[in-house]
Amino acid sequence: MTVSPVGRDIDRVDGRSKVTGTARYSADYPASNLAHAYLVTSTIGRGSIRTMDTTAAQNAPGVVGVYSPANPLGLRLVPGIGEQYAPLEDTQIRFRGQIIAMVVAESSRQARDAAGLISPTYDEQPPRTSLADEPRVPAAGPPGHPPSALVLAPGVASIEAALAASDVVVEASFHQPMQHAVAMEPHAVLAEWNSDHTQLTLYSGAQLPHTAALGAAIRLGVPPTAVRLITPYVGGAFGSRVIPWYDAPLAAAAARQLNRPVRLVLAREQVFTVVGHRSAVNQTIKLGASRGGVLNAVSHVSDASMPFVGYRQMQPAVDTSAVLYKTPNLHFDQRHVMLDVPPTCAMRAPNEAPGAFALETAMDELAVATGIDPVELRQRNYATVVPGTGLRWSSKHLDDCYRVGVRRFGWSARRAEPRSRVDGQWLVGMGMATAIYPGNRIPDPVQVRVRLRDDDTAVVSSATADTGTGGLTMLAITGAHGLGVPLRRVKSELGDTNLPPGAPAVGSMATASTVPAVEAAVNAAVAELIKVAVTDPRSPWQGANSEDLTYENGHLRGRGISMSFGRLLTTVGRPSVEATAAAQPGPEATQYEFHSFGAHFCEVRVNRYTGEPRVTRFTTVVDVGRVVNAQAVRSQIVGGVIFGIGHALLEDNPLELDTGRLAASNMADYMVPVNADIPAIDVHWLDRPDSVLNSLGARGAGELGTVGSAAAVGNAIYNATGTRIRSLPITLDKLL
Amino acid sequence: MNPSENADDSRPGVSRRSVLGGGAAVAVAVPLLVTGAGAEAAPVAEVASADLVPIKVEVNGKPVSVRVDPRTTLLDTLREELELTGTKKGCDRGQCGACTVHVDGRRVLSCLTLAATVDEREVTTIEGLARGDRLHPMQQAFIERDGLQCGFCTPGQIMSAVGMVHEGHANSDDEIRERMSGNICRCSCYPFIVDAIRDAQKVMR
């Protein structure tokens, strides 16, 4: 009997390649006759290019091509997807840091040197940059997600009336600055065409391999089938590799013109503007409640920055205030403010992290206003159906997250009165917040191929991506589980559009969406195996009925014979059998609401004299269904929590209003947490399978930890200091 | 600039002075790039082969001779000339630690180290840490403790961790955290990196 690896601590199957330096990321691929590209970006925030003399660059040593509006590459924009401009195709400047030229040379240093010789002149217009002052526009909202909603109890005239009728009202406004994914691998691509330019191979990090290839194909004006994208290793993504930016199309177009492979690696400062960021957002939350803390009204209004150049709308209320607490009156309105800033994109928990910071801070303020313990307050408003609907959750154990978290963290030691715990020069405080993130499967079919080989090994393949999530290991684990064979006999592969289209590594959906497809592919491959067994003349089961054979733990059994699949394949002289199968959600997708849940508990110390805030303890308890790989889930939740600590205390990129310049375009100025910022983090999961979502009961976990963790830090800082900071990051100057 | 092991260099005995001379030329060229003097500026003169600096360096235990532009970093030389792409470029300005390697056993940021300065020295990269198939204890510990996710910062983390243990400065979790804070991990594996280093240093002693 083979023990299933599901739920155990499994080392990453690609761990060895990552610790030995043999894992190849996009910029690591070799090519013969390789040329190197370097971008030039705009130094004004809005206007147009008046002149751009590229003579010096063209004459610089090693330069083989200079592309600019005077010599463009003919790229097309994809209407409605990604940025709504095509670089070099016109002279308009839409944001500071926009691509305005590209130099290709024999070496990367020659390309960079020559790029520095291009210095355009501009006709400048003042960029529109103020989130507070520019006009607000209603959000369009993606299909099925209205940007605004109003639910009122019978007889209630308006949300204002509901608030006015409440015993206690909390109103609070929050500001969060632009945030950047800052994946460790700068965006990079190697583009290589075949000799007659009919097939392009792109080596470039992507969360959705097929979508990235498709996007590049459209921008290049070639058929989608002409582009193969290879992305087995991705140096972090966090939303910044959901859709392709213009790096891959530019490199590919130059490679086509120059008739040689081209590698383009963005400089770190270019990643901050060529690649999207999370919108800055102002939010106002109003909570009306009884003296006992029972919510009567929730109102959530957001104004998120939206670049004129396009891409992603932020919707911070949809999966927070709209679903988290029981309330008879609910209002949300998610508006946009159009600005001349670089494109926005999804960033880890794109809506939920900012939304939960606002809502969960406001809930803490309600706890203070009513004198009710913050955990008790949340339990008094526990939702069992989605507010305004009768929809139930597929599986929800948030109450247990609170209960277990209180015990593990030692919440009972908390004193409600701020500044009541002092340890030397440190004020000590505790705070908590709720985590919630959608637990969906991707609506589209997800394909997986399972190949059984004559050496008793199997290969599980799917063009999903492993951005550090453990996706490759997840494929192997679920394959071994389905086949009932030891994990060491299962190889997995992903990150190549030559493989069957797999689950996008977005929205914490990859595992939940892939599990059913692996199961289907295992069943289909076993059916193929049985077909061989009953038809091949060399098989001991030739002529038997398929129904007489059973597959279990790597063996076929029937008629008193048992044989491993490898032995059968060897016997009949076939190296392998394989099958590809697809899976997609059924009617349950609309019959239930699907979320993962969690509870964060945080202890901070704030220096009485310097205001320095330090996170000293953190406990997070999550309800993510059944865990496929304990090690990977622990890492994902911890990583998510640390993202939240970064949001709370460090990450900021002020926009210079006059110029549209981002103040922090490197990794010293845009501060993310480092090792010394982070204490040991205690993570626990309930391990209650969500059997409605998929057969294993596995739900997503990648983004959940990021949701609410910033609020838990801020709430702990309030408990320590009595100072409520509603504008992130909470830096020491705000606490003095 | 093809590296060749034990190659006889035609210009032996390059002096520190000539290296500095090459460096001084950079001081003239760099302002043109930074200020973007633009179309009026004369193109930067190509570094004539005579200006290339020959260096002899032991990389991962193997002697290598290579001629480098005096402005070239050790990072670019490793990645682009020696095809040792395990060392990563995360920021190219000493802010992230992904390019950490050892020079004469000390951890250095290869993006802030000019290749010309490692002449006659020993460089160890992530590719040179394992002994054949046997992983270095730090590599093994990073796998077992899941001190990595995307893996991009991992070579730098491991080289930095090994260097720190050899420095004798991994005596407590807080000391590890402080002395590993030059290596950013955006996947945020920090607690597991600390676990891995604590495990590995017991074996390394």
Side-chain angles (χ1 to χ4, degrees):
Chain A
M1 180 65 197
T2 302
V3 178
S4 169
V6 168
R8 292 163 53 205
D9 273 293
I10 304 296
D11 291 343
R12 282 165 204 275
V13 295
D14 52 357
R16 193 179 180 94
S17 65
K18 287 179 174 177
V19 301
T20 53
T22 55
R24 277 196 200 280
Y25 299 80
S26 304
D28 301 340
Y29 285 90
S32 60
N33 197 29
L34 178 65
H36 301 259
Y38 196 87
L39 297 179
V40 180
T41 56
S42 68
T43 54
I44 66 162
R46 184 186 175 201
S48 60
I49 300 166
R50 189 192 304 152
T51 62
M52 187 191 285
D53 189 339
T54 58
T55 315
Q58 280 165 325
N59 293 333
V63 169
V64 297
V66 176
Y67 303 96
S68 69
N71 181 29
L73 283 160
L75 297 182
R76 309 166 186 197
L77 64 84
V78 186
I81 297 177
E83 298 156 279
Q84 296 301 293
Y85 89 110
L88 317 187
E89 297 304 311
D90 61 32
T91 58
Q92 192 186 336
I93 302 298
R94 296 150 176 94
F95 59 92
R96 188 177 168 120
Q98 173 190 317
I99 299 166
I100 56 170
M102 183 172 79
V103 177
V104 186
E106 297 292 345
S107 80
S108 63
R109 292 176 297 285
Q110 288 170 328
R112 186 177 60 190
D113 287 353
L117 300 174
I118 297 175
S119 181
T121 61
Y122 300 99
D123 289 316
E124 205 167 343
Q125 288 177 274
R128 295 154 288 186
T129 52
S130 173
L131 181 61
D133 300 329
E134 292 295 331
R136 291 148 187 184
V137 296
H145 285 277
S148 61
L150 180 62
V151 176
L152 295 174
V156 176
S158 66
I159 195 73
E160 290 76 18
L163 286 162
S166 304
D167 297 336
V168 182
V169 176
V170 165
E171 176 174 348
S173 293
F174 303 90
H175 173 71
Q176 291 170 79
M178 298 168 59
Q179 291 175 331
H180 299 266
V182 200
M184 291 303 294
E185 181 194 11
H187 290 54
V189 59
L190 169 63
E192 192 165 20
W193 294 87
N194 64 350
S195 56
D196 60 356
H197 294 175
T198 53
Q199 282 292 325
L200 168 67
T201 304
L202 294 172
Y203 300 84
S204 187
Q207 293 174 252
L208 300 79
H210 278 86
T211 306
L214 176 65
I218 297 172
R219 285 168 170 177
L220 287 161
V222 301
T225 51
V227 181
R228 178 184 181 189
L229 186 127
I230 296 178
T231 176
Y233 294 99
V234 183
F238 317 113
S240 74
R241 290 178 161 106
V242 168
I243 61 137
W245 305 101
Y246 274 110
D247 50 349
L250 280 167
R256 187 166 53 185
Q257 282 212 0
L258 296 168
N259 218 11
R260 58 192 289 193
V262 170
R263 178 192 293 155
L264 170 60
V265 182
L266 299 195
R268 176 54 70 182
E269 63 270 23
Q270 295 170 344
V271 178
F272 280 83
T273 60
V274 171
V275 167
H277 62 275
R278 193 205 301 268
S279 298
V281 61
N282 291 333
Q283 301 178 78
T284 297
I285 303 263
K286 297 176 188 172
L287 303 176
S290 69
R291 282 188 192 84
V294 176
L295 287 168
N296 178 49
V298 173
S299 169
H300 189 159
V301 176
S302 64
D303 292 318
S305 60
M306 181 69 194
F308 280 102
V309 74
Y311 191 179
R312 194 177 187 282
Q313 306 176 7
M314 182 189 275
Q315 300 214 307
V318 166
D319 279 297
T320 58
S321 297
V323 291
L324 189 45
Y325 297 114
K326 183 180 175 182
T327 179
N329 300 289
L330 170 68
H331 164 250
F332 63 84
D333 190 9
Q334 302 164 113
R335 303 176 300 201
H336 292 147
V337 179
M338 303 300 292
L339 300 178
D340 297 305
V341 292
T344 45
C345 68
M347 179 173 155
R348 199 174 197 171
N351 306 310
E352 300 77 8
F357 172 70
L359 175 64
E360 288 298 285
T361 305
M363 284 296 282
D364 201 63
E365 299 191 43
L366 182 61
V368 172
T370 55
I372 297 167
D373 176 85
V375 177
E376 171 64 20
L377 178 74
R378 284 162 174 84
Q379 282 168 331
R380 288 185 192 182
N381 293 290
Y382 198 80
T384 52
V385 296
V386 177
T389 75
L391 214 53
R392 291 187 173 277
W393 276 276
S394 58
S395 174
K396 178 177 179 178
H397 304 283
L398 175 59
D399 46 357
D400 286 341
C401 294
Y402 293 135
R403 188 175 49 76
V404 174
V406 160
R407 196 185 65 237
R408 290 181 76 94
F409 181 75
W411 180 252
S412 59
R414 177 181 181 267
R415 296 177 199 159
E417 183 66 26
R419 301 182 79 92
S420 56
R421 275 188 65 198
V422 181
D423 181 6
Q425 59 184 316
W426 299 94
L427 303 172
V428 185
M430 295 184 187
M432 60 82 56
T434 309
I436 181 169
Y437 191 83
N440 297 318
R441 287 166 59 185
I442 188 85
D444 309 313
V446 166
Q447 293 186 31
V448 171
R449 183 177 70 209
V450 169
R451 176 180 294 158
L452 304 175
R453 300 196 292 199
D454 61 2
D455 60 356
D456 270 323
T457 64
V459 184
V460 183
S461 314
S462 185
T464 181
D466 187 335
T467 61
T469 53
L472 188 68
T473 309
M474 176 272 294
L475 271 181
I477 290 171
T478 53
H481 173 80
L483 289 165
V485 300
L487 183 61
R488 66 175 184 279
R489 280 168 42 198
V490 180
K491 180 175 176 285
S492 51
E493 51 187 13
L494 49 63
D496 183 342
T497 52
N498 275 6
L499 302 175
V506 299
S508 302
M509 292 187 287
T511 296
S513 306
T514 302
V515 159
V518 171
E519 187 177 70
V522 163
N523 291 338
V526 167
E528 283 299 310
L529 182 73
I530 291 175
K531 198 191 291 176
V532 168
V534 298
T535 56
D536 194 289
R538 288 160 292 185
S539 162
W541 290 294
Q542 195 224 354
N545 290 325
S546 299
E547 299 77 46
D548 296 338
L549 270 66
T550 57
Y551 174 90
E552 195 182 3
N553 294 336
H555 286 72
L556 277 186
R557 290 189 176 83
R559 290 180 168 179
I561 308 169
S562 173
M563 198 181 258
S564 74
F565 64 76
R567 180 138 170 257
L568 172 65
L569 291 170
T570 306
T571 303
V572 302
R574 293 178 61 132
S576 66
V577 292
E578 68 175 47
T580 301
Q584 71 188 109
E588 78 283 352
T590 52
Q591 293 164 351
Y592 293 90
E593 187 77 12
F594 298 87
H595 281 97
S596 284
F597 301 94
H600 299 292
F601 296 85
C602 172
E603 179 191 85
V604 299
R605 286 168 176 252
V606 179
N607 191 286
R608 293 166 71 187
Y609 307 110
T610 67
E612 179 190 9
R614 307 279 308 166
V615 173
T616 46
R617 284 200 303 133
F618 214 108
T619 290
T620 296
V621 179
V622 296
D623 168 23
V624 293
R626 189 169 182 191
V627 163
V628 171
N629 182 356
Q631 187 154 285
V633 162
R634 191 180 301 115
S635 289
Q636 285 277 283
I637 299 293
V638 164
V641 166
I642 296 173
F643 249 64
I645 294 173
H647 293 178
L649 301 180
L650 296 166
E651 294 180 37
D652 194 5
N653 202 349
L655 190 64
E656 192 173 66
L657 295 183
D658 292 348
T659 63
R661 186 182 68 91
L662 292 172
S665 293
N666 60 68
M667 294 176 77
D669 291 336
Y670 188 83
M671 287 192 288
V672 300
V674 299
N675 209 321
D677 295 319
I678 301 303
I681 292 174
D682 170 42
V683 166
H684 177 79
W685 50 87
L686 301 176
D687 223 2
R688 307 260 176 87
D690 185 341
S691 53
V692 177
L693 186 61
N694 56 46
S695 55
L696 268 186
R699 236 178 14 229
E703 287 160 278
L704 181 69
T706 307
V707 184
S709 38
V713 174
N715 295 342
I717 288 174
Y718 173 81
N719 183 243
T721 64
T723 304
R724 182 72 69 182
I725 306 299
R726 302 181 186 86
S727 176
L728 295 184
I730 305 173
T731 44
L732 53 81
D733 52 300
K734 297 173 183 173
L735 295 170
L736 281 175
Chain B
M1 285 202 274
N2 286 324
S4 55
E5 293 181 15
N6 283 321
D8 244 352
D9 198 277
S10 55
R11 295 175 64 249
V14 61
S15 69
R16 197 165 294 274
R17 188 178 181 82
S18 66
V19 173
L20 289 172
V26 178
V28 178
V30 164
L32 294 181
L33 304 182
V34 174
T35 59
E40 300 81 31
V44 178
E46 182 163 19
V47 178
S49 59
D51 294 331
L52 295 179
V53 179
I55 58 169
K56 288 184 177 179
V57 55
E58 194 173 295
V59 179
N60 296 333
K62 293 179 186 168
V64 172
S65 293
V66 59
R67 294 159 64 82
V68 298
D69 182 325
R71 298 170 297 182
T72 304
T73 62
L74 176 58
L75 173 60
D76 282 348
T77 303
L78 289 170
R79 289 183 54 83
E80 296 181 16
E81 314 301 339
L82 305 180
E83 295 177 1
L84 291 169
T85 55
T87 305
K88 302 303 182 201
K89 183 184 283 190
C91 71
D92 211 19
R93 54 173 73 179
Q95 296 171 340
C96 78
C99 67
T100 306
V101 300
H102 295 174
V103 174
D104 290 347
R106 284 174 54 95
R107 45 181 176 159
V108 303
L109 297 171
S110 62
C111 76
L112 295 186
T113 304
L114 291 174
T117 66
V118 300
D119 189 28
E120 305 289 340
R121 303 176 81 173
E122 290 177 16
V123 174
T124 306
T125 70
I126 191 69
E127 290 94 340
L129 208 54
R131 292 283 164 264
D133 279 346
R134 206 175 84 235
L135 294 179
H136 186 282
M138 193 65 75
Q139 293 171 311
Q140 188 63 40
F142 265 67
I143 293 175
E144 290 173 2
R145 290 295 198 155
D146 213 26
L148 63 137
Q149 290 182 40
C150 83
F152 194 83
C153 75
T154 309
Q157 297 278 359
I158 290 175
M159 297 310 289
S160 195
V162 170
M164 178 187 59
V165 171
H166 286 154
E167 290 158 19
H169 289 308
N171 300 311
S172 70
D173 286 0
D174 277 346
E175 194 171 33
I176 292 170
R177 288 188 188 104
E178 190 65 32
R179 290 176 184 271
M180 286 299 292
S181 283
N183 291 81
I184 293 175
C185 171
R186 187 56 161 160
C187 297
S188 304
C189 305
Y190 298 127
F192 310 114
I193 290 171
V194 174
D195 290 343
I197 295 170
R198 199 194 306 116
D199 286 0
Q201 64 150 348
K202 291 176 194 155
V203 185
M204 286 169 68
R205 272 188 192 137

